[in-house]
């Protein structure tokens, strides 16, 4: 009966799934008992049968964290086979799938951060960068996950000379106050910056140095800023990757300053009116940045 179930997974036949369960109610449990196996979820995800994959994941959540004999999860396989829509739907269902470590401790974020030398289509490259950004926003803590070589996704992006991925990762960690990732060292004691130096990647090296030089108090943001007008983008509906790959605007800095004040100032200091003073100062700063008529002053009619 497991064979019939696998055929159903290969074709995305949900009715076939339930026919297998009806014939053998323990069929999914029997598969789950095998430590390393290509589950129906692995098969469906690798072929892009999204609805079937989600149905299996709903019935058997443990399949999402199970590795096959090659040390890969279902999300790993969906990425490897460019089933990007399936990837997005799977992480929407369970964002923790992003942190499932496979062979050599690499999770799906590590995998998508690595430059694919087989990529020769501009759209495919853009799709992979968009998925990288989706992963970061869905599961921010995954940026600190390490492989067995103590590599972060940033290490891997630099090591594979994936300049676009580096830019997106730097934009992310600078905006959520995780710049400590810049100082993480791999098993050889190298930071991402040291890797870039050793391989003479001048553009990436410059980006890493700028990220290190950025003041830590300006490092906090929420995804909603992108859609709340805090950032001007080249399209009406900016992608997450475009957002992360753009410079921070003054309005973002002011927003983060307000958050930092609210979080760090004690109640006693608040009662003394210091918060009011800070808010007045930021409002004044905003007025200076955006005077009536723009930076050049009022326009003459």
């Amino acid at each position: 009966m497991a064979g019939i179930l696998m055929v159903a997974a290969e074709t995305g036949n949900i009715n076939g799934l339930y026919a297998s369960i009806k014939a053998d109610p323990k069929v999914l449990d029997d598969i789950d008992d095998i430590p390393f196996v290509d589950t129906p979820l692995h098969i469906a995800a690798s072929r892009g049968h999204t609805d079937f994959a989600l149905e299996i994941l709903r019935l058997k959540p443990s399949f999402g964290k199970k590795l096959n004999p090659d040390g890969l999860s279902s999300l790993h396989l969906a990425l490897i086979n460019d089933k990007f829509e399936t990837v997005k739907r799977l992480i929407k269902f369970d964002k923790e799938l992003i942190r499932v470590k496979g062979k050599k401790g690499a999770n799906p974020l590590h995998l998508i951060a690595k430059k694919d030398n087989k990529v020769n289509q501009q759209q495919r490259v853009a799709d992979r960068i968009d998925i990288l950004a989706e992963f970061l926003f869905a599961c921010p803590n995954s940026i600190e996950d390490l492989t067995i070589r103590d590599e972060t996704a940033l290490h891997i992006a630099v090591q594979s000379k994936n300049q676009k991925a580096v830019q997106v990762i730097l934009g992310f960690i600078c905006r959520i106050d995780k710049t400590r990732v810049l100082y993480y060292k791999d098993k050889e004691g190298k930071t991402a910056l040291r890797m870039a130096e050793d391989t003479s990647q001048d553009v990436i090296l410059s980006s890493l140095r700028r990220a290190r030089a950025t003041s830590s108090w300006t490092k906090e943001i929420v995804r909603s800023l992108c859609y709340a007008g805090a950032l001007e983008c080249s399209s009406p509906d900016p992608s997450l990757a475009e957002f992360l790959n753009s410079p921070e605007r003054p309005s973002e800095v002011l927003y983060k300053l307000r958050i930092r004040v609210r979080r760090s100032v004690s109640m006693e200091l608040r009662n003394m009116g210091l918060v009011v003073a800070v808010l007045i100062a930021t409002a004044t700063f905003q007025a200076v940045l955006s005077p009536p008529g723009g930076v050049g002053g009022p326009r003459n009619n």
Side-chain angles (χ1 to χ4, degrees):
M1 192 53 59
I4 297 176
L5 175 58
M6 294 308 177
V7 172
E10 290 174 352
T11 58
N13 186 352
I14 294 178
N15 289 332
L17 163 63
Y18 281 97
S20 297
I21 293 174
K22 185 179 293 185
D24 181 4
K26 296 182 62 179
V27 64
L28 297 181
D29 291 332
D30 290 342
I31 294 173
D32 201 17
D33 287 340
I34 304 173
F36 297 93
V37 63
D38 277 302
T39 69
L41 176 58
H42 283 80
I43 295 172
S46 66
R47 287 164 173 72
H49 298 312
T50 306
D51 290 346
F52 187 100
L54 290 173
E55 189 69 5
I56 280 284
L57 191 58
R58 184 182 66 82
L59 295 174
K60 204 70 176 173
S62 58
F63 280 2
K65 295 177 173 59
K66 187 174 285 293
L67 303 181
N68 69 5
D70 293 318
L72 301 172
S73 70
S74 53
L75 190 58
H76 281 96
L77 287 177
L79 283 173
I80 290 171
N81 289 281
D82 298 337
K83 305 304 180 183
F84 299 126
E85 185 58 34
T86 300
V87 169
K88 292 178 181 180
R89 296 279 302 282
L90 286 173
I91 65 171
K92 183 178 180 180
F93 185 92
D94 184 0
K95 63 183 182 181
E96 289 301 314
L97 296 178
I98 297 168
R99 304 191 73 178
V100 175
K101 293 189 174 184
K103 186 178 181 180
K104 298 183 180 180
N107 63 26
L109 178 64
H110 295 124
L111 181 63
I112 201 67
K114 184 177 181 179
K115 187 173 183 178
D116 187 345
N117 293 325
K118 297 179 181 179
V119 172
N120 53 15
Q121 295 180 354
Q122 186 175 357
Q123 185 57 51
R124 185 163 178 259
V125 174
D127 287 340
R128 288 176 63 86
I129 293 299
D130 285 342
I131 290 293
L132 171 62
E134 291 278 356
F135 279 6
L136 292 170
F137 273 108
C139 194
N141 289 333
S142 63
I143 193 60
E144 298 189 73
D145 288 347
L146 305 176
T147 68
I148 61 172
R149 293 177 53 85
D150 290 340
E151 298 164 321
T152 65
L154 180 58
H155 279 103
I156 291 174
V158 173
Q159 186 180 54
S160 63
K161 301 182 179 180
N162 192 348
Q163 183 177 327
K164 292 183 178 180
V166 171
Q167 298 291 351
V168 168
I169 292 172
L170 290 179
F172 180 75
I173 64 178
C174 286
R175 282 176 160 96
I176 66 164
D177 199 19
K178 283 190 181 291
T179 50
R180 59 180 175 272
V181 174
L182 295 169
Y183 301 92
Y184 282 17
K185 297 179 179 180
D186 66 6
K187 62 172 280 188
E188 296 177 357
K190 293 184 179 182
T191 62
L193 188 145
R194 176 64 184 278
M195 278 185 171
E197 288 176 336
D198 289 350
T199 52
S200 300
Q201 299 183 61
D202 294 339
V203 175
I204 289 178
L205 186 58
S206 177
S207 297
L208 288 165
R209 284 173 174 164
R210 282 198 304 271
R212 282 196 174 197
T214 304
S215 301
S216 61
W217 65 270
T218 64
K219 303 292 195 305
E220 193 171 309
I221 196 168
V222 292
R223 178 176 182 172
S224 60
L225 280 175
C226 184
Y227 303 97
L231 178 71
E232 290 180 359
C233 297
S234 59
S235 61
D237 185 19
S239 69
L240 296 179
E242 182 180 359
F243 173 53
L244 292 178
N245 202 23
S246 62
E248 290 181 288
R249 290 170 55 83
S251 53
E252 291 186 68
V253 176
L254 294 176
Y255 179 88
K256 292 181 291 185
L257 178 59
R258 293 188 182 103
I259 291 177
R260 191 170 184 83
V261 168
R262 293 191 188 110
R263 290 187 176 181
S264 63
V265 178
S266 68
M267 184 60 69
E268 181 181 358
L269 291 178
R270 293 185 189 190
N271 291 338
M272 292 172 64
L274 291 185
V275 173
V276 175
V278 170
L279 294 179
I280 292 173
T282 57
T284 302
F285 182 43
Q286 180 67 63
V288 171
L289 292 172
S290 304
V295 176
R299 295 182 179 179
N300 296 323
N301 293 327

